Amino acid sequence: MGKHITLQVDGSSHDFDMADPTTPLLYLLRDDLGLNNPHFGCGLSQCGACTVLVNGTPMRSCVLPATAANDANITTLAGLGTPEHPHPVQQAFIDEQAFFCGYCMNGWVMTAVALVRDKPHATDAEIRHAFSGLKCRCGSHMSIIRAVKRLTEAA
Amino acid sequence: MVAFNQLMLSRRRALCTGGALFVSFATSACSSSETTAATGMGSATKPALTPPELDSWIAVKQDNSVVGYFGKVDVGLGIQVAIAQIIADELDVGFDQVSVVMGDTAFTVNQGGASGSTGLELGSVSVRNAAAQARAQLLAMAAAKFGAPASRLTVNDGIVSLADEPGKTISYGDLIGGRYFDYELTWNHKIGNELLVEGTAPLKNHADYRVVGKSIPRADIADKLFGNEVFNTDVRVPGMLHGRMVRPPVAGAIVVKVHPESVQLLPDVQLVVHNNLVGVVAAKEWTAIQAAKLLKIDWSTPKPAFPAEADLYKTIESAKTVGKGGPKPTGDTKATMAAASKTIEATYLWPFQSHASMGPACAIVDVQPDHVTIWTGDQKPHYVRDGVAALLGVPAAKVHAIWLRGPGSYGRNDGGDSAMDAAVLSKAVGKPVRVQYMRIDATAWDPKGPASVHKTSAGIDANGKVVAYHYRSIAFSRENIASHPDDPTQSLAGQFMGMPVSSKQAFDVPDETYDFGVQHLDWEVVPALLDRASPLRTSHLRDPLGPQINFASECFMDELALATNMDPVAFRLKYLKDKRGTVVIEAAAKAANWQPQMGHPGKPQGVLLKGRGMAFARRKDTRVAVIVDVEVDRHTGRVWPRHWFVAHDCGLIVNPNTLRRVIEGNIVHATSRALFEEVAFNPHMVTSVDWLSYPILDIKDAPESINITLINHKDDLPLGAGEPSSRPVASAIANAVFNATGIRFRQAPLTKARVKAAFI
């Protein structure tokens, strides 16, 4: 029997026996909990498709060992809001019709959630700086920036 | 009345009634499911899924909702909404009543998948024809029901009303809901993009459209944002195992020995080895990933398959020609140039580029003794079905491909290969197997956009008029492997397993219709560097060949403008024989307040240099003109295209806001290709393996603005928009960089290193 850990995921508590303590958080979320996001993009912490909030901080679940997230509060896209009660960031991205394939959106949305929380009046340069490093292959960048500005310029 | 009864008479019922005109005269030889007198209109049995069957395109449910069946797919550009808009208008139902099923081979015919920006231009035509015919069938049913001519019927939101008789209304759902039209359309007997069905019902006038032309948002965006979208990567089938592939470390290497003991400590790992195809299968995905990493294989050490990267273009230019083509020359360019008072020539270079889709491809395949199921995100699911069927040696009818949204797709990426690999693994282990590639498999091993050399030359007479023009592409083929994943010999699995290999030799020349009198446009194809399982095998990448061909031709137009002392916009307007092209160029120039650029910009001083450039593109019948304002940092070599002005003509606009997004996406994606993307390799292997070694555009380099002028042709049919605005982007950037710096860059991408080096 491996190490025992507990994760709070989108408000629910889950216990795991970690036979392999190196297993990245991503595989617990996807394979053990059956969540449809985050996504596997690179497994190298280079793209952001696997991003979740760990105690409020956007982190790459593809490289974060699940054991390092023991007792943490984890929020995925699905935990941000619902169609009836969307998170403002979700609503802004819907209103802006951001994204094409959308496979990358975990990184952008989770980073946006942290950004508008920490810098509600973020400038264009601060928005670009916060997002730098995230990948979007379809070229959604313009609508992503506009979506965030719906919040930062209204705040 | 007779005419309408003929209209609604089905082929099957016509057989049953011995050719009688009236539906209710069914003979006892017909089963009850084929008669309709007692149970309402339509047939209870769904006809087989074939292109001419109206039921292959449209279904009306009892609740008066409508399902459209689309044999293409929406890879993120919003065509699902556009198709629903077209159906809603043609069928006279509300947009919210329509849902569209895409790409599932059990419910849709093969319309070619996402391909060549043909979703609206070709794909919507059959859907529209079918919807119009369905409306006519429904009106005929209502006419029979009311005993009144169809000319007295009106339809609103799928409710048929009889004029001047307020009580006489009936919904589509009550007429046929849950049953089938059983009506045969005319089919041109083609499949794929060219598939066309036509009915006899008249189509609606565009002036009467109420839904087409509206900016209805995409529903899938919200689904994805709430985590409710099931991507193909999210499919979980009972009993499903996880597979990973193990590729050779060196291109062309073959398996000498596999060491199963190297993964014996991992739980329940199964190895699948067919010649040089090697895969691992495990219950847990993480276990499969580790097994693929740990599995020890002795590979052969083949001689280097590739030249040094620095020698790529020299290799192309000195290689033998294995294919050539192009339109017939108009006169003798050589002789005309020899007689010209001035000639200029230039050579342009374009690298191999990777799809590098956001997620590595994924497929789940369940090979059962009598049936195969595929869950795929590939953009051509019908061809995936055909390819897997051929690989397994089973009839395509026994294979069902279910399409789900996947991680981005811009042509023949790694999606088709992943289904073939999953099929091999599933057959070997007898369980459904999910294969998702690792990043290196997606970036290093996907089919590549071909590298190319483009040689341009022109002759100018004493009056400064261009009198001869020669454009030649020398390149790797556009399709070392076919753009459809329907042939296992053109897949990595088939090639690793030892199937015979072949390559189609084809390239292209510019589509823009400049008229220089005597001109010669041609292409030559050189052999693939490695003919089997090559990580540099080529196939279609977004706007296949468009950006590279345009990069040479539209930059050379600017070079010709300079050589003839003309402004680049005025030069194009003078020589372009294309009215719609002229309109977009003028529209972009107006939006940008273009000021004539005369003469060489010299050698501007300062650190941040600013410039403006333009380019024009035609892709089939879509026209795009772009103007870009760039900033070039002399110290870092950074080129930043800050502001874009795009004028775009794709015929009838179905959904303006979505079209604007699509154009933005093209501009940004193509900017990435123009400035950053270049597959790196050494003589042994592709060395672009991830996002560090295959860098793409970062948001810091995204433009500040993209101003878009849409030119709408309300009486025209919709044309393609998924790719055309990718085409002129690299050309416009290079033209703007020349305007900013006085330096003509003829090699893409315009990387920081390349630009910085040019200043020294």
Side-chain angles (χ1 to χ4, degrees), chain B residues 391-404:
Chain B
L391 178 77
L392 297 172
V394 302
K398 298 273 188 195
V399 182
H400 177 197
I402 299 166
W403 180 83
L404 298 100

Side-chain angles (χ1 to χ4, degrees), chain B residues 71-72 109-115 191-193 379-380 382-383 484:
Chain B
K72 290 180 168 292
V109 299
N110 183 355
Q111 289 189 274
S115 171
I191 59 157
N193 290 343
Q379 66 182 51
K380 297 180 181 178
H382 294 82
Y383 292 120
H484 301 329

Side-chain angles (χ1 to χ4, degrees), chain B residues 510-550:
Chain B
D511 277 352
E512 296 77 27
T513 52
Y514 296 105
D515 182 0
F516 298 112
V518 177
Q519 57 193 31
H520 183 190
L521 313 175
D522 66 348
W523 54 262
E524 294 179 356
V525 165
V526 301
L529 295 168
L530 173 67
D531 66 359
R532 176 180 292 280
S534 173
L536 285 177
R537 70 202 182 288
T538 60
S539 196
H540 285 183
L541 170 60
R542 197 173 198 175
D543 186 22
L545 316 185
Q548 50 269 65
I549 288 174
N550 190 276

Side-chain angles (χ1 to χ4, degrees), chain A residues 20 27 30-32 35-37 41 46 90 96-97 99-101 103 128 132-133 135 137-138 146, chain B residues 218 224-225 227 233-234 236 284-286 289 354-356 410 439 661 664 677 691 698-699 702-703:
Chain A
D20 176 355
Y27 298 95
R30 288 189 59 85
D31 295 348
D32 293 323
L35 297 179
N36 285 349
N37 49 84
Q46 293 176 359
Q90 287 171 315
E96 197 50 55
Q97 287 283 287
F99 299 111
F100 293 99
C101 83
Y103 194 83
R128 287 174 188 249
S132 186
K135 303 292 183 286
R137 193 65 179 123
C138 301
R146 281 197 301 266
Chain B
R218 287 165 51 195
K224 290 167 181 170
L225 277 160
T233 50
D234 300 324
R236 297 169 183 93
K284 288 266 189 186
E285 187 171 12
W286 183 240
I289 292 169
S354 169
H355 296 257
Y410 322 99
R439 174 44 54 193
R661 298 290 185 281
E664 284 182 352
E677 298 187 28
W691 297 114
D698 187 81
I699 196 163

